[in-house]
Amino acid sequence: MFKLKPLSGVVSTLCATAILATPAVADQMPPEKSLAGLNYELIGRDDLWSYKSLSKYNEAPFLSELVAAGKLPKVEDRLPAEPLVHNSGVMSDGVGTYGGVFRHVIGGRPEGFNWLAGQHQGWGGINMAVQECLVRQGPRWQVKPEDQTGPLPNLAKSWEWNSDMTELTMHLVEGVKWSDGDAFDTEDIAFWYNDNVEDPNVNARISQGSFGGGAKLEVIDAHTFKFVFPAAQSNTLVEGLAYIQGCPGPSHILKESHPKYNSAKTYDDYLNAAPSDKMPVVGLGAWIPVEHKPDEIVILRRNPFYWKVDDKGNQLPYINEMHFKLTTWDDRTTQAVAGTGDWSNMENPGNFVEALKQSQDASSPVSAKFGPRTLAWRIELNFAQNMGKDEYEKELRGLFRNIDFRKAMSHSIDRDAVGQALARGPFAYPYMGGYATGSPYYNADSTSYTPFDQAKAGELLAGLGLKDTDGNGVLNMPGTGQDLVIDMTYKAQRNDDRKQMDAVTSQLAEVGIRVLPKSVDETSFDPMRNSGDFTAILQRANFILPTREACGNLPVSDICPAFHLSGSEGRELMPFEAELSELVSSFNSTDDAGKQTEHANRMQQLLTENVYNVGLVQVPAALLVNKRVRNAHPGTPVFMYEWAEDGVIRERLWVPEDQQMAELLPGTVPTYQ
Ligand code: GLA
């Protein structure tokens, strides 16, 4: 039965089972050597935070000046009656002091601030800074296994089920305000769910009809609402209301641009209702963007209406200003190591050796410890045959739908060579799709291994009638007779993706498959992928939990995953896809850890035996946080229940006064009503 252990423990147990257990699948995964070195104490889920009223509240001194000048309501009037109270006993460095700057560096660019319509803000922790969600997943890495059912509370302070598990009633924290002072309540919840999630014209992060098989929302009062489900669910389903799915937006700002409320507006207008250059943003997050210089920086300032405090009554966050320098993902690591940035999820193997070397030095601004392998890359082949734009593309997608073709591709890939192209050394381990080995749901025995074997690949391709009829070294397709050429899209800004693309392109060429790499700017990448307008994609997989971004990985609705959209003519699911979809529902409808493990194992078996995606390699990652920053718990994994920017609980981070950096916009707060 699955039990989450400290990360290093998880990995060593997995290695042991990989060697001892009888294989359930044809080819067994090679033994894995862990590089993980994180160790930490596990705590109870209620040890992290609670909701209660305290006798006295404090605020950042510059806010008191604004209050005194009549420019801001008093802190007790800005806070909920019972705010979320962070327990200082579980903070690694305890209660903090106010002030200073936290410097992020990211490779993404804000697409826009209408996250309800699916827009991203550039990733790397900026989305998570402005969005707050009904529940929270990131900090669960620290919670004891026996306390692990469902997510942690956040905007929803509690919830309960009816006896047959078909109705979920959620209670919002009362008195939370948006960063402009407007009340946050069930009007925002109704707008989020009914006019975004359930509106087929809006590309929300939960797709229409997919939450609990098509839950209906009922508003009970200003702070209470209910989901009514067509069939029994479980607490596990509530995980789907964490970042990035269950995060309400400001209905008082967005409604006027939504066609349902304003007939003069189109859905395009709605998508662009909060463009990336319109400042300040209105959000519920600890910091709010107040200035955006394209390709340079987004500056966020503390949200004076933030609804969380520490147990001494200090309104959070401690840090006044947060920067997102807009450069590249590689630069994030370079700057963290150099001390000009404060944070990197060191996930770019190309930098590993140098960064590790430099961080060994006692005077280095950061130290680095690896977690388990949770970063994996894969090729996504587009299975939507009837959406192919011409005969050639239809034939190609038909091939993709054939298991022998997918197996042939997988056998053509020399994963050791791909790994070495990324970084010399022991970092990379083969990835077959499905859960990465660092996932609590990974099971080596359920993972089907398709090793590098060009001869086998050749046989499978010949069996499909693919032959090089014109002697140009590229196989010809049996139907159209054309060369087998796969346009493969990747993110232009991701060097590690490009390196793998180069390796894969030359490896596939050796069996007669020609790959044409196409780079797409990261900002337009997601809309492109969501539209299904691509032949194949090479990108990172982010597959750790079945409940996290399920739509990106699994056939949970007509528009999920993007590599198998339904289109106007509907879609023909491959048989194992139908079973996968049922497994997701079964997983979501039980809280029994043993049953969940069974479902997860079966998913892993189906995903890897059928080569749903062509996995490439997986690597560990290390979190780099500047040493002047306190409360960055040293056990924080880069990616587990959520990315580390959520897992580390940034609203609790602080910097001793003598090490604080000068703010760019001292005294500034986002505007309020
Ligand atoms: C990007 C980065 C990750 C992480 C996430 C957060 O994907 O590559 O390391 O910062 O953003 O959303």
Side-chain angles (χ1 to χ4, degrees), residues 104-106 122-128 243-244 329 332 343-347 375 491 494 522 540 542 548-549 638-639 642-645:
H104 279 287
V105 175
I106 58 174
W123 310 109
I126 178 166
N127 298 20
M128 291 173 205
Y243 174 83
I244 192 174
W329 295 111
R332 173 169 73 167
W343 177 282
S344 182
N345 299 342
M346 191 172 71
E347 60 189 8
L375 303 174
K491 293 179 181 162
R494 300 272 182 176
E522 196 160 350
R540 218 169 47 201
N542 299 346
R548 186 185 177 279
E549 291 181 27
V638 165
F639 185 55
E642 197 31 89
W643 288 103
E645 292 92 339

Side-chain angles (χ1 to χ4, degrees), residues 389-592:
K389 54 184 181 306
D390 51 33
E391 281 317 301
Y392 173 78
E393 186 72 19
K394 286 193 176 135
E395 185 178 9
L396 194 56
R397 293 186 188 188
L399 274 178
F400 293 169
R401 293 173 64 92
N402 191 311
I403 172 73
D404 283 349
F405 186 80
R406 300 195 299 276
K407 279 198 172 147
M409 273 188 79
S410 192
H411 280 302
S412 309
I413 290 169
D414 178 352
R415 292 174 173 85
D416 290 340
V418 175
Q420 292 306 308
L422 265 185
R424 298 215 166 274
F427 304 111
Y429 176 73
Y431 177 56
M432 293 295 130
Y435 302 105
T437 66
S439 158
Y441 297 106
Y442 174 75
N443 176 5
D445 294 344
S446 309
T447 308
S448 176
Y449 183 48
T450 34
F452 179 47
D453 186 343
Q454 285 184 337
K456 179 90 196 152
E459 269 167 44
L460 289 165
L461 293 168
L464 291 165
L466 288 156
K467 240 201 288 182
D468 180 10
T469 50
D470 51 11
N472 68 350
V474 182
L475 295 170
N476 293 78
M477 315 258 284
T480 54
Q482 294 191 38
D483 278 349
L484 172 53
V485 181
I486 304 177
D487 283 350
M488 207 179 283
T489 310
Y490 68 102
K491 293 179 181 162
Q493 285 85 354
R494 300 272 182 176
N495 278 336
D496 299 293
D497 299 19
R498 204 209 57 239
K499 283 182 197 156
Q500 293 180 71
M501 180 63 93
D502 291 347
V504 163
T505 304
S506 62
Q507 291 170 7
L508 288 174
E510 286 172 26
V511 298
I513 300 175
R514 185 152 174 239
V515 171
L516 270 189
K518 283 174 72 176
S519 72
V520 167
D521 183 81
E522 196 160 350
T523 312
S524 26
F525 188 90
D526 286 356
M528 177 281 299
R529 180 174 182 270
N530 292 339
S531 72
D533 189 15
F534 61 87
T535 305
I537 280 176
L538 187 158
Q539 68 161 347
R540 218 169 47 201
N542 299 346
F543 202 146
I544 301 289
L545 305 181
T547 50
R548 186 185 177 279
E549 291 181 27
C551 179
N553 296 312
L554 296 161
V556 292
S557 87
D558 280 359
I559 58 160
C560 310
F563 51 86
H564 197 179
L565 298 185
S566 249
S568 50
E569 295 167 37
R571 69 177 165 187
E572 203 187 316
L573 285 181
M574 297 178 276
F576 71 93
E577 285 187 287
E579 192 183 340
L580 277 176
S581 157
E582 281 159 25
L583 282 165
V584 178
S585 307
S586 315
F587 186 97
N588 281 337
S589 58
T590 179
D591 290 324
D592 179 315

Side-chain angles (χ1 to χ4, degrees), residues 145-163:
E146 53 272 34
D147 286 359
Q148 291 276 3
T149 49
L152 300 166
N154 197 45
L155 284 166
K157 63 176 182 187
S158 62
W159 54 90
E160 70 263 348
W161 291 89
N162 66 348
S163 58

Side-chain angles (χ1 to χ4, degrees), residues 285-296:
W287 298 269
I288 298 292
V290 297
E291 194 170 323
H292 175 193
K293 296 188 189 150
D295 281 334
E296 218 177 290

Side-chain angles (χ1 to χ4, degrees), residues 208-231:
Q208 192 195 21
S210 73
F211 182 60
K216 294 286 160 239
L217 177 79
E218 281 176 24
V219 167
I220 296 170
D221 62 35
H223 302 104
T224 320
F225 60 93
K226 192 198 253 187
F227 287 112
V228 180
F229 301 96

Side-chain angles (χ1 to χ4, degrees), residues 47-50 52 85-96 309-314 316 318 631 652 654:
D47 293 340
L48 281 162
W49 58 78
S50 55
K52 58 186 174 208
V85 182
H86 274 292
N87 175 8
S88 59
V90 296
M91 300 181 189
S92 50
D93 301 298
V95 169
V309 300
D310 67 21
D311 52 10
K312 302 289 174 292
N314 299 306
L316 297 174
Y318 294 120
N631 276 352
R652 304 183 318 190
W654 59 277

Side-chain angles (χ1 to χ4, degrees), residues 18-33:
I19 295 158
L20 297 175
T22 344
V25 289
D27 272 304
Q28 230 186 334
M29 292 296 286
E32 180 181 6
K33 207 167 162 259

